[in-house]
Amino acid sequence: MKAKHQRLVLIVIALVALIGASLLAIYALRNQASYFYVPKQMAESPPEVGQAVRLGGMVQEGSLETLADGVTVSFIVGDGEATVPVRFSGILPDLFVEGSGVVAEGRLEADGTFMADNLLAKHDENYVPRELQDMTEHQAEQVVAETTTGGKAE
Amino acid sequence: MIAELGLAALWLATALAVLQLVGGILAVRGQGELASLVRPTAIAQGALAGLSFLLLIWLFLVTDLSVKLVAANSHSAKPWIFKLAGAWGNHEGSMLLWVTVMALAGALIALIERRLPEKTLLATLAGQAFVGIGFYAFILFSSNPFERLPTPALEGNGLNPLLQDIGLAFHPPTLYFGYVGLSVAFSFAVGALLTRQVTPDFARAMRPWVLGAWIFLTLGITAGSYWAYYELGWGGWWFWDPVENASLMPWLAATALLHSVSVLAARDALRTWTIMLGVIAFSMSMLGTFLVRSGVLTSVHAFAVDPERGSFILILLAIYIGGALTLFGLRASSISEGERFSVTSREGALVFNNVMLSAILGIVLLGTLYPLLTEAFDVRVSVGPPYFNPAGAIFTIPMLLVMAVGPLLRWRQDSFARIRLPLVLIAVIMLAALALVVILGAYSLLADLGLAIAIGIAIASFLPLRGRNLLRVPLATWGMVIAHFGIAVALFGMASESAFSEEKLAAVNIGESTQVGPWKVQLESVTPVAGPNWTALEGTLQASYDGGEPVELHPQARNFWAPPQETTESQLATRWNGQLYAVIGNEAGQGRWQLRLWWKPFVTFIWYGGLLIALGGLLSLVGRVMSDLKRRQVVRRRQLLEAEAVA
């Protein structure tokens, strides 16, 4: 193989591999990125059953219940406009309390329950999940007010 | 007084960096008026930056509370080791550490590097100064560590309790040494481009820095992964968290660079590619700094949430990467073609793996930046293992297979027929291991393949030694063998953890026991305990492996009150073949307590593997440096002899 050709072939191979990797990455990202929902969006256009998504909102006052096995909890996440029932098996994260924000990673079941694999709550006083930062600015007060009164009315 | 002295030293170092840059550039352009000043300037700059950092450490050790940074991050009652670590356990201090290490590296190059043409060396030092000036400006204008308070504080704020951990005190500087090492490699690449001297000598001068950076990055990632594993209490060892990716990306680029620089040093091939990788590796370490330091990501790691600083680093990033790529574009075509090689040769295998590493790097980079990009369009996503694992594996598996074979090939030209025997051996071992794993119970495709490949590589990594006198094998070859073996060990741990881990989540009464894998775990008691700044509920567990002698474990749920924060303190029982991981949760009603237990067979191999990889790098580095010194001695002796002959 001539000198110039070898260089060219190397460059072409490298380019093909890198473009292949990028296309694969973009394809996989479209399918595998887990999208963030608030309860309102989940009510209006729910994700496919079993698809990995994140749900963020406020834990309604009075909705937290520990089931008989002692390790599964159920609670309701709301954003003032809609609510979603959530179930989670595991140790509740530090500082997980009713009336505060939470982001749940998991999937929607056919019966409309959100099965959480993981809960991201604030783990110190300053930390707010990234998805909830805007919310706290735009709607937090209103959300908290509505979810708390909503909780009491139930 | 001490603080003012530190600041003055920093300003002086900055001024010297400017002089170093100007002198270097003039020398490259053929005006050598300042050329003889560049080396001494680099040495003086290193000394001044070092002095400035020592003074900062001094301020922390004596807890000078009139200094804002000390008051905000230290406390007079802290143990001295945490006072020391406090000097770099914050944004300003860590930036000063960065620039100090970089200046010291420049001084070291100026002191010892004699192989390169003088012009190339001066251009390299100019590159160093150019990168350094950006960081000096960043520190002086937006993150001054020596700022005084108008009135001294009465007492310091203390350090985040999560960070009061001896491992964590040394984790960030380890990564920084890695990042800085790559910036030195970058300066060499710029020097070589500016003076059109992309030669094996250049590669030999650059290689120790790449190796050093790579060793530190490997250690930093290994330590960070173990810290996340035991401290966060989630049982996982890698979360594809953006901050973890920020350290993985430079490592991937450095790994590729390490191998291509070796090809350039040994065979004078891959000239352009090595320069390109030098630019990419440095870009990745800058991107890592940007992601961690700018507060773009909300994470425990990102403690500098300050938009001004973020945009400053972003501008630096744009200048460095944009400038380097422009220079590369202008000069790349003037680098002449290196030596040729056939596809089946050691170079061929190394090129293949370089391309695979770049592809993996691309996958990780896109996955890390994608959430930031979509957020600009108000769509929020998170990208995790379902993306990274399969997409990364597509390129990792062929890379690992070629890694098993590559070291057996000869340089320049070889044929598979020559190494048929070892090839068949490796293939048979891998297939047998795969069959065994599937018979034992198919777990998941990736885990099964991982186990089989790990066993294959573990054996293949020693094959380059066959038929050789082990005492005469060069250290650098031992380094390669051990590093490749370390990859196998780490891979085995990862695959085993993912295939064989067992998890048990249970609510148990006092005195009751539960089973996880071969372990029987009994909850003896739960008692409140208190520490200096926390209270906790501590469980006492008796865990026995397969009916053997029980070990006692004390997992805690801790409550810090200043600053208020809750943490779970997991407890581990380590055996040669794995770890039992225990976490205690909340009260579960009716006197029961939540326990979360994992049995993770061979999980420790992940970190042993990481240490072996770093050890391999170290052996290689020592071997290279020693043979360089020996060569230099030989040259000097010959010169002396010639001088005598002339006389």
Side-chain angles (χ1 to χ4, degrees), chain B residues 476-495:
Chain B
T477 308
W478 275 111
M480 173 194 77
V481 166
I482 288 175
H484 286 182
F485 180 65
I487 298 266
V489 172
L491 179 66
F492 186 82
M494 296 171 195

Side-chain angles (χ1 to χ4, degrees), chain B residues 309-320:
Chain B
R309 287 174 181 170
S311 26
F312 206 123
I313 301 186
L314 191 60
I315 292 169
L316 284 184
L317 187 76
I319 293 175
Y320 292 149

Side-chain angles (χ1 to χ4, degrees), chain B residues 431-442:
Chain B
L431 288 175
L434 188 61
L436 185 70
V437 176
V438 172
I439 291 167
L440 277 175

Side-chain angles (χ1 to χ4, degrees), chain B residues 309-457:
Chain B
R309 287 174 181 170
S311 26
F312 206 123
I313 301 186
L314 191 60
I315 292 169
L316 284 184
L317 187 76
I319 293 175
Y320 292 149
I321 300 178
L325 286 177
T326 311
L327 182 66
F328 181 78
L330 289 176
R331 284 293 167 88
S333 57
S334 72
I335 300 173
S336 57
E337 159 97 23
E339 292 288 321
R340 271 176 292 156
F341 50 87
S342 103
V343 177
T344 43
S345 65
R346 194 179 297 182
E347 293 98 314
L350 285 167
V351 166
F352 180 83
N353 273 6
N354 259 274
V355 173
M356 290 299 118
L357 280 167
S358 312
I360 300 167
L361 175 60
I363 297 264
V364 178
L365 181 66
L366 283 171
T368 308
L369 296 183
Y370 187 71
L372 294 177
L373 291 178
T374 59
E375 199 166 322
F377 300 98
D378 224 21
V379 178
R380 289 183 198 146
V381 301
S382 70
V383 180
Y387 162 76
F388 287 106
N389 289 351
I394 289 175
F395 296 96
T396 310
I397 290 169
M399 180 187 77
L400 291 172
L401 293 175
V402 171
M403 190 190 97
V405 176
L408 301 172
L409 290 167
R410 286 183 181 151
W411 291 113
R412 218 166 105 79
Q413 176 131 33
D414 204 347
S415 69
F416 288 124
R418 193 185 65 81
I419 53 163
R420 193 182 298 140
L421 192 68
L423 278 186
V424 171
L425 179 72
I426 297 171
V428 168
I429 290 169
M430 284 192 188
L431 288 175
L434 188 61
L436 185 70
V437 176
V438 172
I439 291 167
L440 277 175
Y443 297 93
S444 76
L445 179 66
L446 283 185
D448 289 355
L449 285 175
L451 285 170
I453 293 174
I455 292 168
I457 298 176

Side-chain angles (χ1 to χ4, degrees), chain B residues 129-265:
Chain B
F130 181 65
V131 177
I133 288 169
F135 278 93
Y136 282 123
F138 180 53
I139 294 174
L140 290 171
F141 297 123
S142 86
S143 329
N144 176 9
F146 295 108
E147 196 178 326
R148 294 268 190 191
L149 287 171
T151 49
L154 290 175
E155 188 45 276
N157 273 345
L159 182 68
N160 182 341
L162 264 180
L163 302 178
Q164 289 194 26
D165 177 292
I166 194 70
L168 207 63
F170 293 94
H171 166 63
T174 311
L175 281 177
Y176 272 33
F177 288 151
Y179 287 171
V180 174
L182 290 180
S183 82
V184 178
F186 168 77
S187 301
F188 273 108
V190 169
L193 264 183
L194 280 175
T195 53
R196 297 191 173 87
Q197 289 288 335
V198 187
T199 60
D201 269 339
F202 147 75
R204 284 187 205 112
M206 183 186 191
R207 178 161 55 190
W209 297 96
V210 180
L211 258 173
W214 184 77
I215 295 167
F216 278 114
L217 286 174
T218 308
L219 285 175
I221 293 173
T222 308
S225 155
Y226 193 66
W227 176 80
Y229 170 75
Y230 80 76
E231 187 69 37
L232 295 182
W234 296 339
W237 54 274
W238 189 264
F239 300 96
W240 294 109
D241 176 275
V243 174
E244 290 173 332
N245 295 347
S247 66
L248 179 65
M249 290 189 284
W251 185 85
L252 289 168
T255 308
L257 177 59
L258 180 63
H259 290 88
S260 94
V261 88
S262 290
V263 174
L264 183 55

